[in-house]
Amino acid sequence: MTGWGDHLGEFAEGALNTVLLTVFSAVGAVVLAVVITAFRICPVRPLRAFGAGYVELFQNIPLAVWLVLFVFGLPTVGIRFELFTTAILATALYMASYYAETLRAGVNGVERGQTEAARALGLGFGQSLSAVVLPQALRTIIQPLGNVTIQLLMNTALAAAVGVVELTEATNRVNLALAEPLPLYIGAGVCYAVLALVISTGAGVLDRKLAIRR
């Protein structure tokens, strides 16, 4: 007869995979979000349309659908990645739309005079965005970005639907062995809450450190 101690390794693996999935997806999503945000505010109409279309497409189709499409659909057209990599890719592409909207809100909050001053100094659109606009925008949206990252953390549980052994899937497997759903899923919920608290606390500390003093 097995007990909880026999399955601690499975829980640890699941929790680690959840953290890795969150971190790698967040990094990929933020990088892509910067590009999408640049498209959405640039003066080139086709790029603005692409950026808007990207956000609408990914925000209006659930992540679970994208995960199934990427994991089971891509191999049918000859595109294959490891399962964990595929989950990161799908999650990053999906969450990039939410990061992009948050970034765009921050960019829109930067005073117009800042961009006009950048142009007066001879900076192009890309230079103005990277050197003037984005640094100021990021300082005002640390907490919202933290909230989106918490949303990403919670969304990683959907990867269990395609077989990724993250925290939820590990809990499912241990429950099949022990048949103790209440304590197991409460424990998993506590793990998610702790991870969310770490993200929220980190965002709060960074927000206070980078806050613009007026």
Side-chain angles (χ1 to χ4, degrees):
M1 184 174 181
T2 60
W4 281 55
D6 299 312
H7 298 279
L8 290 178
E10 293 176 63
F11 276 118
E13 179 188 3
L16 177 60
N17 284 340
T18 289
V19 171
L20 293 176
L21 184 55
T22 300
V23 171
F24 290 137
S25 297
V27 171
V30 168
V31 171
L32 181 56
V34 171
V35 176
I36 296 301
T37 301
F39 284 177
R40 295 207 68 183
I41 63 175
C42 80
V44 182
R45 182 173 296 179
L47 292 181
R48 290 203 308 272
F50 176 84
Y54 181 97
V55 170
E56 290 297 320
L57 176 65
F58 279 91
Q59 287 194 351
N60 288 290
I61 297 177
L63 176 57
V65 175
W66 289 112
L67 285 165
V68 171
L69 178 63
F70 274 60
V71 172
F72 301 108
L74 289 183
T76 65
V77 294
I79 302 175
R80 291 178 173 83
F81 301 103
E82 292 184 357
L83 178 60
F84 194 74
T85 302
T86 305
I88 291 172
L89 181 62
T91 305
L93 289 171
Y94 175 79
M95 290 305 302
S97 63
Y98 291 91
Y99 280 108
E101 284 296 271
T102 305
L103 282 171
R104 189 166 72 98
V107 168
N108 289 339
V110 176
E111 295 180 3
R112 183 177 294 273
Q114 297 288 331
T115 56
E116 292 175 349
R119 293 195 193 99
L121 291 172
L123 299 180
F125 172 77
Q127 293 172 313
S128 299
L129 186 64
S130 61
V132 178
V133 178
L134 276 181
Q136 294 186 65
L138 286 171
R139 295 176 71 175
T140 65
I141 57 170
I142 298 297
Q143 285 286 13
L145 288 176
N147 293 337
V148 175
T149 304
I150 291 173
Q151 178 188 349
L152 191 164
L153 167 67
M154 302 307 169
N155 281 338
T156 60
L158 294 173
V162 292
V164 177
V165 185
E166 42 65 71
L167 183 56
T168 297
E169 177 62 14
T171 306
N172 291 338
R173 295 185 179 190
V174 174
N175 182 54
L176 288 176
L178 300 181
E180 296 180 6
L182 190 59
L184 287 172
Y185 287 104
I186 288 176
V190 169
C191 288
Y192 280 112
V194 169
L195 291 173
L197 181 61
V198 170
I199 295 171
S200 178
T201 302
V205 170
L206 193 59
D207 183 52
R208 289 190 294 273
K209 185 175 181 180
L210 298 180
I212 298 175
R213 309 299 178 188
R214 298 185 184 280

